[in-house]
Amino acid sequence: MRIAVAMLAGIMLALVTSFGIVRVVTTSQRDPVVKPLYNYGTR
Amino acid sequence: MARGSAVLSPETELGGRPLRRRHAAVAAGTGLVLGLLALGPALAPGFVLAYDMVFVPHPVFDRETFGLTGMLPRHVPSDAVVTALSQVLPADLVQKAILLAIFVIACVSASALVPSERLTARLAGGVVYAWNPFVAERLLLGQWALLLGYAALPWVVRAAARGDPRRLILSLVPAAIGGFAAMAVSGLVVLAIGLRREPPRLLLPLAGLLVMSLPWFVPSMELFSGVPADPAGVTAFAARADTPFGTLGSLLLLGGGWNAETVPPGYGAVVTAVPWLCVVLLALAAYAGRGTGTRGLGTAALVGLFLAALGAVAPGLLRGAIGLWPGFAVLRDGQQYLAPSALAVAVGTGLAVDRLGRWRPELAALALLVPVALLPGLAWGAGGRLAAVRYPADWARARAVVRADPGDVLVLPWEAYRSYPWNHGRRVLDPLPRFLPGRVILNDAVRVGTTGRRDLRMAAEDPRARALGPLIRSGAPLTGALRARGVRYVAVDAPESLGVPAERLAGTERVAAGPDLVLYRIPAVVPSREKRVPQWPVEIAWFITFAVVVWSTRLPVGSLFARSSPKEP
């Protein structure tokens, strides 16, 4: 039970941390998927 | 005596006991949490449209669903399964359920393969398998069908090791739903394990793979010789470095996908890449002294790594092979064959955490967070790259028109992928062929951008796209030529191109128009005489596969959760 609780708490912590990191990353870069319009992707 | 064992040998597998329900439930819950964390905004109402991931509202069965239109059946039978499920649930819910199921199945199946009594060790394997660069890059590339097979790969490993044909068929169901790519990866694992058995057993595994591949294999046999396999794809889809460790190092770390746009935000920085390298090396080192039980999976992982690197280290060899036989084109996007390597790393991580748990249990629990901490860019729909959107109303109006007066549709601009404003500029394979009823002709020649050089363009595969391409690119009037070739409608679905020169479509009727799509109707169309794949062999193929799956379900599904023996053989 303790492991399960610790795991849940850890995952929630990771969730919050990840969300914060991603917000920082995404607000500090431009979306690379704007141009060109018709490519499958870019190497 | 060490806990855990070389569990993948058939001998120890036969001694396996059912995975504790509590362990399975915790693994499923963990997978669900990871799925919720990874998908985030993608779980809002609407459809997630990203690269190859195309779901549409109210899909219907048509000839394309079963690969009967003369194109390579890349979406068979995955589209058919989605269409069937969408008859009972809204299609956007079906999409979200499938995406979440990938994480749940991956976590449960991989944790069941970790030879340990410790829950933390099992979960560590499950978390690494569900949350790693391979999953992230393939998910962002929209390859949910491949990931469905990937998720169930640990079940396939167990079934192949045990040599039980029913269990093998049942474990292959997710890969079979995924279709060609998922079955190719599963086939690699099944054959590697069959070869490494004593004595080697290949006949039954091959038969199982063939039966589960019939829905796409039969229609592709009908037209394979006439479809070009463009060697240019070798350069376009070769693995590339997305970490400081070069292409091979990136592949070892389970990344290295060809598309720079699908690298999760922040991945590849030294601060996360070096610890992740340490995790992978520790996981591989954990196999030391485990005996021979894992050699089948190890062989599959090594062969997969070789195939993944082939396009990057020996492109000439691969081009030559494709020139000899177009079937070798399946190796162009080699990074997908890293799936067994990801499983080997996941199980190895479980083994390492098992040892750590004997020493410091609290550290073992913290180890569960490592994959998420080192790859935070996958979280929240990879920083919003995966998000749900609704199709524009213009699309629904066009569908109503075509449904009321059916006919073949040509899609312009003459490109395969789009970056619609209503999808916030995210790339996606044009959804019109699935959205509109009947035959929709799209230029399926994909284009890949490169830095500092011209775009790489692959040849079209659709015979009608190949036939119409020169006309459309010529700039000449279209109406008469399209009428003669059986095209009833022209749909223009990119706002920057809605103003097609009027003279090119002179004589057409504008039957639906809006800011997101314009539909033109061509009067007095001559019916097309398209070469079609015969239907009856495909019907027989589906019947055989379905019958064999029903036969396999005489085995309780719960037996898939049988865990590996924790004892040494």
Side-chain angles (χ1 to χ4, degrees):
Chain A
M1 187 62 192
R2 278 181 300 171
I3 291 175
V5 171
M7 193 186 66
L8 188 64
I11 288 175
M12 293 306 291
L13 183 65
L15 192 153
V16 173
T17 309
S18 304
F19 180 75
I21 291 173
V22 169
R23 295 301 295 176
V24 169
V25 168
T26 52
T27 52
S28 61
Q29 68 172 16
R30 289 181 62 82
D31 186 357
V33 196
V34 176
K35 288 186 178 180
L37 290 172
Y38 302 116
N39 282 4
Y40 184 16
T42 306
R43 288 184 56 78
Chain B
M1 178 174 164
R3 297 178 70 158
S5 79
V7 291
L8 307 180
S9 66
E11 293 77 12
T12 49
E13 289 289 327
L14 290 171
R17 291 173 295 171
L19 180 65
R20 288 177 190 167
R21 280 187 183 179
R22 186 171 70 90
H23 286 196
V26 173
T30 305
L32 184 62
V33 170
L34 292 174
L36 295 171
L37 179 59
L39 296 173
L43 297 171
F47 293 88
V48 184
L49 303 173
Y51 295 89
D52 295 334
M53 182 150 40
V54 179
F55 286 69
V56 299
H58 313 295
V60 294
F61 292 104
D62 57 21
R63 293 184 66 84
E64 190 172 347
T65 314
F66 298 96
L68 296 168
T69 55
M71 289 183 286
L72 282 177
R74 296 185 192 281
H75 308 292
V76 178
S78 54
D79 273 5
V81 173
V82 168
T83 303
L85 292 172
S86 300
Q87 308 305 308
V88 291
L89 281 174
D92 56 343
L93 278 186
V94 171
Q95 183 188 26
K96 293 171 206 325
I98 289 173
L99 294 179
L100 281 174
I102 287 169
F103 285 89
V104 173
I105 293 173
C107 198
V108 170
S109 62
S111 64
L113 206 59
V114 175
S116 171
E117 291 284 5
R118 294 180 195 280
L119 177 60
T120 46
R122 289 180 175 281
L123 286 180
V127 170
V128 166
Y129 195 61
W131 193 286
N132 60 58
F134 180 86
V135 172
E137 294 187 1
R138 289 291 156 179
L139 182 65
L140 289 176
L141 196 54
Q143 296 189 339
W144 65 270
L146 170 68
L147 286 177
L148 200 56
Y150 167 87
L153 200 59
W155 288 340
V156 174
V157 168
R158 282 186 52 84
R162 294 185 68 150
D164 180 342
R166 275 199 180 124
R167 193 181 298 268
L168 181 61
I169 293 293
L170 197 58
S171 67
L172 282 171
V173 166
I177 291 172
F180 164 72
M183 283 301 293
V185 170
S186 297
L188 167 64
V189 170
V190 169
L191 295 181
I193 291 175
L195 271 174
R196 298 307 299 262
R197 292 187 63 168
E198 296 288 347
R201 294 176 194 172
L202 284 179
L203 196 58
L204 273 177
L206 274 173
L209 290 168
L210 179 63
V211 165
M212 298 301 279
S213 301
L214 285 177
W216 57 263
F217 186 67
V218 169
S220 61
M221 275 181 65
E222 291 283 340
L223 42 91
F224 201 66
S225 58
V227 174
D230 196 337
V234 173
T235 307
F237 300 129
R240 56 175 286 283
D242 54 13
T243 66
F245 309 116
T247 301
L248 292 180
S250 299
L251 289 172
L252 182 67
L253 297 188
L254 309 178
W258 66 268
N259 195 340
E261 297 170 4
T262 60
V263 177
Y267 178 70
V270 174
V271 68
T272 52
V274 171
W276 176 236
L277 175 65
C278 294
V279 170
V280 170
L281 293 179
L282 278 173
L284 298 179
Y287 286 97
R290 307 298 303 183
T292 59
T294 54
R295 63 186 184 178
L297 177 59
T299 302
L302 285 175
V303 173
L305 197 58
F306 171 77
L307 295 178
L310 194 57
V313 300
L317 179 65
L318 190 50
R319 281 192 205 99
I322 293 172
L324 288 175
W325 182 56
F328 283 116
V330 302
L331 303 177
R332 292 186 305 190
D333 183 5
Q335 195 250 6
Q336 64 190 350
Y337 295 98
L338 283 185
S341 304
L343 181 55
V345 170
V347 173
T349 304
L351 293 171
V353 171
D354 181 69
R355 291 181 181 173
L356 180 65
R358 272 177 273 149
W359 175 51
R360 296 288 297 272
E362 66 281 6
L363 285 183
L366 278 177
L368 298 180
L369 303 177
V370 170
V372 180
L374 294 183
L375 185 58
L378 176 56
W380 201 245
R385 291 192 193 182
L386 299 175
V389 296
R390 295 189 187 278
Y391 282 95
D394 296 343
W395 284 50
R397 279 193 285 275
R399 174 153 67 178
V401 170
V402 178
R403 188 170 285 159
D405 182 12
D408 294 356
V409 183
L410 178 84
V411 179
L412 295 178
W414 195 236
E415 299 281 353
Y417 285 78
R418 298 286 190 268
S419 300
Y420 300 112
W422 52 266
N423 195 30
H424 306 292
R426 299 183 193 95
R427 294 192 197 286
V428 63
L429 178 64
D430 196 317
L432 275 177
R434 289 180 176 86
F435 195 93
L436 296 178
R439 178 72 157 99
V440 179
I441 305 161
L442 174 81
N443 179 17
D444 59 348
V446 300
R447 186 162 61 165
V448 173
T450 58
T451 50
R453 286 180 296 162
R454 292 179 60 187
D455 291 349
L456 298 165
R457 185 183 281 276
M458 269 51 72
E461 294 176 350
D462 180 354
R464 292 187 77 184
R466 292 208 301 271
L468 287 168
L471 167 71
I472 294 167
R473 282 190 289 268
S474 70
L478 294 172
T479 310
L482 293 179
R483 178 189 293 125
R485 298 185 190 199
V487 177
R488 177 84 165 128
Y489 296 96
V490 176
V492 186
D493 68 344
E496 68 281 357
S497 302
L498 287 181
V500 174
E503 62 273 16
R504 296 203 75 189
L505 292 173
T508 60
E509 180 188 2
R510 204 158 136 140
V511 288
D516 295 302
L517 190 144
V518 178
L519 187 68
Y520 300 87
R521 180 158 53 204
I522 300 173
V525 166
V526 178
S528 66
R529 292 176 187 161
E530 185 176 12
K531 183 189 173 189
R532 291 180 169 180
V533 176
Q535 195 166 323
W536 65 268
V538 177
E539 289 171 350
I540 293 175
W542 273 83
F543 173 76
I544 293 173
T545 303
F546 192 69
V548 170
V549 170
V550 170
W551 165 75
S552 75
T553 55
R554 288 175 55 191
L555 186 77
V557 175
S559 64
L560 284 172
F561 296 87
R563 69 156 174 71
S564 306
S565 166
K567 298 178 179 175
E568 295 286 0

